[in-house]
Amino acid sequence: MKTYNYCYEEGLLEDLIDFSIMKNEKNILVQIFCGQEKQTLDYVSKTILKHLPNAICIGTTTDGEVYGASITTLKTIISVSIFEKTFLKTAFANDEDSFQCGINIASNLVTPQTKLLILFSDGTHMNAEEFLKGVESFDASIPICGGMAGDNGKFEQTYIVSQNTLLSAGVVGVSLNSDVLHVATDFKFDWKPIGLTHTITKVKENRVYLIDDTLASHFYDKYLGSDFSQTEFPLILEKNGVTMARAVIAKHEDGSLSYSGNLEEGDQVRIGFGDAESLMKDPIEVLDNLHTINVESFYIFSCMARRRFMPFLIKLGIGSFSKIAPASGFFTYSEFYHHNGSNKLLNQTLTVVALSESTKPLSLSKPTAHEDSKKNTSYSKTIQSLTHLIEQSARDYDEQSKRLEEQMNYSKNLLASHKQFLRYTVHEMNTPLSVIMSNIELYEMECGRSVYLENIEVAVKSIFSMYDDLSYLVRKDHVHYPKYKIDLVDYIRSRIDFFAQVANIAKSLFIFTSNCEKAIIFFNETKLQRIIDNNLTNAIKYTFENKDILVSLKQEDGRYLFCITSHSRKIQKPEKIFEEYYREEKAQDGFGLGLNLVKRICKEENVTISLQSDENQTSFCYEFKVNAT
């Protein structure tokens, strides 16, 4: 076989190509890689078929073109391959269903002698992964190559052509059928994952809605910023032993993102970046499959991200092929590849097809890489160092994340153990406290009151108050607290009576006043007790000796105002007094949890809190709604 490559920009095609040298050939394959507008693609295909009516012609718009040792943009490369003993067939399909497109084109192209399918799909409408599954369902044994059309990174509208048929959606293809044709394919993937592993949590085919339960676009904003590169930082995953990338091709108004290939719920992915050190390796040296035949032509289908990421490295790699045989191809929006009986949709990948009809014995020596590709410029060294920095930082980050996860698991287990211990302790505290209180009462009934027992009773009541706080904190997230009608007047009196003895020991006295005989509210008794008890015990704790504690309940303007006023030091930071673990006076016992608990209950039950504090007295007031239901 022979391949002739041409670069067209403008003017008459006849001035560029001497069609007379090909007019008598029977098996002519023309591939058009068009970086210009669709009119150019249409003109070139029709002009070629006008002069070579027996030729098989397919073409695609691109995001850059491969022309021998050069990479071009906004030009049109025409590759003409002439086969001696290979029969060519072409077809196109434009079914709305991508899977059916694959079945249809395969059924029209595949023969018993098919050695290779060259396939170009549109780059904006086709679900290429479903399309490739359709091809595979018809025949899973035939190698494929090609890719999705481009439109110079606009992601707006791409075009493909088969003979004289120009399509904006669908797929075109050619089958190479022969008993003597040798085909070798290989690929080079130079992107590496960095950072944490993430999970696809909501997806429909190639449209991802949630990553780690975060809106897909917000996920990218977080890690790459709002102006992230759609193609150079893909998601990387591994399936069936092949590392693959999925690049964003569209962003939707609802924040979801469309990718170049399908993803599934539960897929584990990481953000990828181009590995400069790997990119610098000459593909001729690392793509071993290509050295199994005496190559007569190379067809190259490479991801657009490779051209855009490090152009000078990509140019060096592409140039090596043309030193061995004519090379042509284009930069795609996704690449088609066949691996172990399965068709793969790839991104960020260089895919290469080597063809030969030669009967010469295979030379076992590897081709020598192009000298330019061995040059290690200062810029290359800088990029290589930055790559090492990113990789090592990612490894360090992974190790730190693992250590942090271990510490978090330990902390969670420790916290769970503490909670369990606290639940057990609270549960077991009630019985001994009740026994102590009941025995004090029995002793006093038989033997009379004792100052020692009074002190014990006061201490037990303080413990009871702490027990009630702990019991509420332990159970609040697991127990429903129903509301009932409660008379605030009677309830406040009952709690004052309970703590009167405690106040007496502290040389204080409760003075309770109310302007109403009854004050009915709809409230949970446990929560109400926490509000009243914490304020009463705090007043006892902080009131100066021989000073009264004023407790009042007033009905006014459709509300009940419950206030506790004590003669104590001025609160220096009233804005912090309700914070967890904050204590105004460090010398006093306690953990600073009581008022924080009161604040949380008041917020839950829509009770308004007001605080006034000066050099003479401090007042905490709580506003309850009258007859609240």
Side-chain angles (χ1 to χ4, degrees), residues 319-459:
S320 298
F321 294 103
S322 63
K323 298 299 177 179
I324 300 171
S328 61
F330 78 107
F331 290 89
T332 75
Y333 281 176
S334 285
E335 304 79 60
F336 303 157
Y337 191 73
H338 187 81
H339 178 76
N340 289 340
S342 177
N343 293 337
K344 305 295 182 184
L345 181 69
L346 306 179
N347 291 132
Q348 328 305 110
T349 308
L350 170 70
T351 63
V352 184
V353 177
L355 298 178
S356 175
E357 290 182 314
S358 174
T359 57
K360 294 179 182 179
L362 176 65
S363 172
L364 296 179
S365 61
K366 249 186 186 181
T368 303
H370 187 233
E371 188 63 29
D372 288 344
S373 66
K374 296 182 179 179
K375 292 180 181 177
N376 198 1
T377 64
S378 59
Y379 182 59
S380 299
K381 289 180 179 179
T382 301
I383 295 298
Q384 195 169 355
S385 297
L386 287 174
T387 300
H388 280 300
L389 174 62
I390 293 172
E391 289 180 323
Q392 187 58 51
S393 298
R395 284 193 290 268
D396 292 344
Y397 181 66
D398 285 343
E399 290 177 5
Q400 290 175 359
S401 297
K402 289 177 182 177
R403 287 197 297 269
L404 180 60
E405 186 176 0
E406 290 173 358
Q407 293 170 0
M408 287 178 64
N409 288 334
Y410 174 78
S411 299
K412 286 179 180 178
N413 292 334
L414 185 62
L415 183 59
S417 298
H418 285 177
K419 286 183 177 179
Q420 186 63 30
F421 172 76
L422 189 58
R423 290 192 188 100
Y424 175 79
T425 303
V426 168
H427 177 73
E428 294 298 321
M429 277 175 63
N430 188 45
T431 300
L433 286 174
S434 299
V435 170
I436 293 171
M437 287 297 291
S438 61
N439 278 274
I440 290 172
E441 292 174 2
L442 289 171
Y443 183 87
E444 289 180 343
M445 289 172 63
E446 292 183 11
C447 305
R449 297 185 67 80
S450 164
V451 64
Y452 300 111
L453 286 179
E454 285 182 3
N455 289 336
I456 293 173
E457 186 176 356
V458 167

Side-chain angles (χ1 to χ4, degrees), residues 190-192 273-280 309-310 313 383-384 387-388 391:
D190 302 305
W191 258 247
K192 286 190 174 181
F273 79 106
D275 180 3
E277 186 174 6
S278 181
L279 283 164
M280 290 172 64
F309 186 64
M310 294 181 183
L313 290 180
I383 295 298
Q384 195 169 355
T387 300
H388 280 300
E391 289 180 323

